[in-house]
Amino acid sequence: MSDIAIVNATLILPDRLVPEAGIQVRAGRISAWGELKSMPAWNGETFEANGGFIAPGFVDMHVHGGDGADFMDGDEASFTKVIAAHRRHGTTGIVPTSTVATHEQTLRFLGQCQHFRRQGQILGAHLYGPFFNEDKVGCHPKSPARAPAQKEYARYLEFAGSILVATCAPELPGAMEFFRDAAARGIRLNAAHSNASWTEMENAFAIGLRHVDHFYCAMSSVPGLRERFGVPMQASMAEFVLGTEQMTTEVIADGWHLAPELLRFVVRMLGPDRTALVSDSNRALDMPVGEYIFGPNDGGVTIFSDGEAGWTADRSALASSVRGMDFMVRHMHLNVGFDLPTSIRMATLTPARILGLEHDLGSIDFGKRADLVLLNQNLNVQRVWHAGQIAG
């Protein structure tokens, strides 16, 4: 049912906690919230939270897979399985994220995204691969990484109504044309898997680039640009993001990609409203230790999951995450040291704002979609509601 009252909860707002509180939901939307003593009368279904925390549903704008499936498998069953897996971890706003793959595999991915967006199961697609610098592919397959060609990406942009975000390495030939064409279709622009300089980032910024994926991971650095340009030393993507107040970014807070001091540094430099949490999770989420395929089953790359992180097959480098958004929130709060409202905000309202969806998602407020998560005192997910209906 989409009409329900949740009582005896501590609400997590973007800036504070509200104990001894409740939420009322009508037709899948929040109709009232606040301290119980000030709530209007309710005669419908009631859920007892027993003092647990109620947070907005998490918004994950960079997620590849889970429960043995990857969005790039490109079939309905895989999409259904990944969505259900992340619902169990509190994610109600899901943005399926592609990998470097063939043209046909990318089209299948976009077709499924269109289908699931129309059903209201996802927020839209993140066209993440294949336009990466082959020297910065990370765990993605190197051979299909390529520069954007108008003849190819024009087919992708036929799905523009279902694409929220598109990523491209700004230094690639054709990148600026791709950015212009994507922006003209209303798609948000990201940079990643790139060896771009400040100047190349600035050129993309002039077109509409506003976000850099997984900060510090597979991105240019000053020493790396020294090898590319010689002297004088060039500023990198990191400096451009830190020095440009309109730029936003995201971090993978799984305890392996970035040390606590780096997580604290990024958030303190940019603030929690410019730093989102993402899972960047692969198909090994909630699966046993072992080898898995990153990307499509046909043509992806073999990786290894030790249950805490994904690694390249030779165990020499990280290969995506195997954690859900709930883990990222717990890590930021319990280990990195940010307060609970801030940690939750980076997993909810911040990504919703970056995606331009804050009017509908990301916080507990009147009229917003009733995407909610019940957390216990250890911040483990107990129940999930998507548009007021139980989802996990």
Side-chain angles (χ1 to χ4, degrees), residues 103 131 146-156 173-175 177-178 181:
H103 180 64
F131 304 137
R146 52 200 181 271
Q150 199 276 338
K151 184 176 180 180
E152 176 184 10
Y153 71 69
R155 291 290 312 281
Y156 303 156
E177 290 77 10
F178 171 70
D181 289 348

Side-chain angles (χ1 to χ4, degrees), residues 72 140 166 288 360:
M72 288 304 293
H140 292 252
D360 204 35

Side-chain angles (χ1 to χ4, degrees), residues 12-30:
I12 305 177
L13 303 187
D15 59 350
R16 67 189 189 278
L17 302 177
V18 182
E20 299 180 0
I23 297 176
Q24 293 177 3
V25 176
R26 295 188 185 276
R29 298 272 167 180
I30 297 173

Side-chain angles (χ1 to χ4, degrees), residues 74-277:
D75 57 75
E76 188 170 346
S78 294
F79 267 67
T80 300
K81 184 176 284 191
V82 179
I83 291 167
H86 285 275
R87 290 269 195 269
R88 293 193 293 271
H89 290 272
T91 298
T92 54
I94 298 175
V95 183
T97 304
S98 64
T99 65
V100 173
T102 67
H103 180 64
E104 292 73 20
Q105 288 168 331
T106 302
L107 286 174
R108 285 199 297 271
F109 162 82
L110 291 172
Q112 289 295 336
C113 287
Q114 183 180 69
H115 171 68
F116 278 82
R117 183 177 181 274
R118 287 171 175 169
Q119 290 186 338
Q121 294 301 306
I122 67 169
L123 300 179
H126 182 174
L127 181 60
Y128 182 59
F131 304 137
F132 293 169
N133 187 320
E134 65 177 15
D135 293 330
K136 292 286 186 179
V137 294
C139 67
H140 292 252
K142 186 172 183 176
S143 58
R146 52 200 181 271
Q150 199 276 338
K151 184 176 180 180
E152 176 184 10
Y153 71 69
R155 291 290 312 281
Y156 303 156
L157 296 185
E158 291 175 6
F159 295 89
S162 299
I163 301 174
L164 278 178
V165 181
T167 289
C168 181
E171 72 275 18
L172 294 178
M176 297 303 138
E177 290 77 10
F178 171 70
F179 282 143
R180 287 191 190 94
D181 289 348
R185 304 295 292 271
I187 298 171
R188 283 169 162 73
L189 308 181
N190 291 12
H193 290 270
S194 166
N195 201 28
S197 66
W198 177 296
T199 300
E200 290 160 334
M201 290 289 293
E202 196 169 44
N203 292 338
F205 180 84
I207 297 171
L209 177 76
R210 291 295 183 272
H211 187 81
V212 165
D213 300 299
H214 48 43
F215 204 68
Y216 286 126
C217 300
M219 62 188 288
S220 62
S221 65
V222 172
L225 291 175
R226 169 70 184 274
E227 295 179 11
R228 182 180 169 202
F229 290 105
V231 295
M233 296 177 78
Q234 303 280 314
S236 74
M237 297 170 73
E239 287 74 40
F240 186 81
V241 173
L242 294 172
T244 307
E245 65 179 18
Q246 298 94 329
M247 290 295 296
T248 60
T249 194
E250 63 197 42
V251 290
I252 307 168
D254 64 349
W256 288 94
H257 279 77
L258 302 178
E261 62 269 21
L262 271 181
L263 291 167
R264 285 191 289 268
F265 174 77
V266 175
V267 178
R268 286 171 181 168
M269 291 299 101
L270 298 179
D273 294 323
R274 293 171 59 194
T275 311
L277 300 181

